[in-house]
Amino acid sequence: MASRTCKYACDMEKSVLVSNFDKRGWAQVTSDEEWNFYWASVVSAKTIFNVETGYRLQDDQIINHFPNHYELTRKDLLVKNLKRYRKELEKEGNPLAEKDELGHYCYMDFIPVTFLLPADYNLFVEEFRKNPSSTWIMKPTGKARGIGIFLINKLSQIKKWSRDSKTSSFQASSARDSYVISRYIDNPLLIGGKKFDLRMYVLVTSYRPLKCYIYELGFCRFCTVKYSASSAELDNMFIHLTNISVQKHGDDYNKQHGGKWNIQNLKLFLQSTRGREVTSKLFDDINWLIVHSLKAVAGVMNNDKHCFECYGYDIIIDDNLKPWLIEVNASPSLSATTVNDRTMKYNLINDTINLVMPGGEHPDVKWNKTPPKGLYGHYQLLYDEELAKQDQEFSKGKVSLGSGSRREGKVKHAATWK
Amino acid sequence: MSRATISGDLNPRLIDSSIRAKDKLIYEQLKNYVFKHDLLVDKLIYKDVKLTATNDDQYFVFEDFIHQVLLLFSRDTTVLKHFAQSSATPPKSYIRGMLGVSDYAVVYPPNGIIPFHGFAMYVAPLCYVFDKPITLYYFFREIYTRHLFRLHTISSHPQGIVSICILFESLLQACQPHLFYHLRQMGAHPLRLAFKWLMRAFSGYLASDQLLLLWDRILGFNSLEPLAILAVAIFAFRRVNLLETSSYAAAEAVLADITTIKVMPLLQVILLPKD
């Protein structure tokens, strides 16, 4: 009998990946050979999907990126897609797009006000002048891990982009100069006086119909230094940035826990200090935010059946327990900084593989992508558009799956949120 | 996960956690003391926090709060009142040149309690419930002067650490004679294994939500006995594995990680009568 051993290719030498492949008895091959499962870097995936340099994938090949994931993972495109999605909902008269007296979206207001530079420079200036004491955060569109980010609170600090916006619009702005500027959240929720952000892992196995799963073992990343909003501190990046890569070199970095706090601890803390209801609402809001961010790009995403993707969502919670989406990462770090971290990431990969390849032996892109619940591991079904449609056909408005799922029925949405 | 009830259901008779204007003044006063004078024990406190709370992946977030609370606590002379219920006496220092002359004796540190390794862990769990340092401070002071001080002072008090140890041993011997004998025989005396749990009131050993449930029971029963009862229940729960061990180190390993232990069912097993 011919061996049906699964052959994998992997671009990164990460123990949490390799040990998962090894324990399944998979054989390693290079990406040039015939592989069944490819955990690729963003760059390699791009090459494969490139019209000129790429190739067609077979029915027994799956890869961990969607061809145009950057619609979600690039800061400027995410903002563009979200804005477009909101406008579409508004045009349809969808109650989700409802606005309040100040013109803010009631339910769709989960990204901080953001502009693209240099293109939207003038729009930004207009907004800035409305709130001259506001702080803004500048992020280069192409970079990750906290590189190149800085804060500003004066227009003079971004003079450079003012010049660029006045140059001929035919001149393509280089990727180096392309930034997004967002309203800085200066009232973050502090715990123990420290600022933190949330990292949640979300697995998407299909965009149309949308099928997404949220990993229960998300974590909070804490700043080592106590938070201070004073302007003198604006340059101390350790206070504001929470990316682990930047934190690692701060004085107080601790190798035991790496500044990472289990999300269960966050839940306990919030339940005890703020109450159960508002805590549940916060986590519902987070799920809501994730589902809608995915829906916003679902239309433009190339729904290649060979693809799945495990995203790293960065979310900040403000003092009013409102979550804000900061960024989505296509390649969340799989390096482990502590023992707990390694265990968690190992389980993440394990559960991910189980969900995208339930048979365990060989991928088959023709399957219906509805894995049995027993394989979820620490994943929770966030939203399955296909199942939701089936539910709707029974004309019942029941929430069928998990605490974080949302159905499609517009009427019930209105009832839930109003 | 059930909600920690210390804040929510706290019966006002048990501990009054409301902060009055007078409390705020005292708190500010204590903070001033911290700014004005350094004490040598501050270094001990700092070291303790860094070694215990800061290294704990449940509590590290609160290290600054814990530190702050303990600095204030050492300077709080109202804590001296609790010595009326304690067999311990606060350490004294003497004005220079007047050694032994009681008129020139001064309590040191001002609250009479020299911090020791692990002291910070008495404060740590409360940080999950009180997000303002001032309420955290007063609640900690109250729970310490009512209960926790008995865990690190020698006395014959029925709630003192000695009595809790005796309760643990007698209860274990009564409930699990076979296990008790087995452990003793191989040189792993049960008390040696459980002592650190008892002295720290399980802080740093149980998962934080479970720990808060346990401390709620302590407040509710107004007694430290639940500590002994839980310890017995854990031994009983892990009985099978413990019976398979044949050395102290092996027994220690079986009991090393109790973060998965659920407090309520275990307490009920021991407390409720068997049919």
Side-chain angles (χ1 to χ4, degrees), chain A residues 43-101:
Chain A
V43 173
S44 308
K46 193 170 170 185
T47 317
I48 290 181
F49 291 118
N50 187 308
V51 174
E52 287 149 40
T53 61
Y55 52 89
R56 262 185 82 118
L57 296 177
Q58 305 298 316
D59 282 353
D60 62 351
Q61 290 188 301
I62 56 174
I63 188 170
N64 67 325
H65 288 293
F66 282 91
N68 56 342
H69 61 78
Y70 41 79
E71 295 284 349
L72 179 66
T73 58
R74 259 185 61 148
K75 304 167 187 63
D76 52 346
L77 295 177
L78 171 61
V79 168
K80 235 202 281 185
N81 283 313
L82 270 169
K83 285 184 177 173
R84 193 206 67 242
Y85 174 65
R86 294 198 296 217
K87 284 225 150 41
E88 276 168 9
L89 290 176
E90 216 178 331
K91 259 199 221 147
E92 287 170 25
N94 193 316
L96 290 173
E98 188 186 312
K99 284 184 171 167
D100 64 18
E101 326 80 54

Side-chain angles (χ1 to χ4, degrees), chain A residues 191-194 222 226 252 254 256-257 259-261 264-265 267-269 271-276 340, chain B residues 1-4 7 50 54-58 60-65 127-131 208-209 212:
Chain A
I191 300 186
K194 295 184 188 187
F222 276 86
K226 230 169 156 171
D252 287 326
N254 182 301
Q256 196 86 2
H257 47 72
K260 291 179 181 171
W261 215 39
Q264 299 303 328
N265 293 328
K267 269 200 181 134
L268 175 64
F269 175 79
Q271 281 172 345
S272 310
T273 55
R274 303 271 187 137
R276 266 202 144 173
N340 286 342
Chain B
M1 192 180 350
S2 60
R3 178 189 173 169
S7 67
K50 283 289 179 193
T54 306
N55 278 330
D56 189 311
D57 55 15
Q58 291 188 105
F60 73 89
V61 171
F62 305 113
E63 60 174 341
D64 291 338
F65 278 19
C127 297
Y128 272 93
V129 183
F130 302 104
D131 56 351
S208 14
D209 60 326
L212 290 171

Side-chain angles (χ1 to χ4, degrees), chain A residues 278-289:
Chain A
V278 296
T279 306
S280 295
K281 180 168 188 310
L282 167 66
F283 284 94
D284 279 348
D285 287 347
I286 290 173
N287 290 341
W288 179 251
L289 173 165

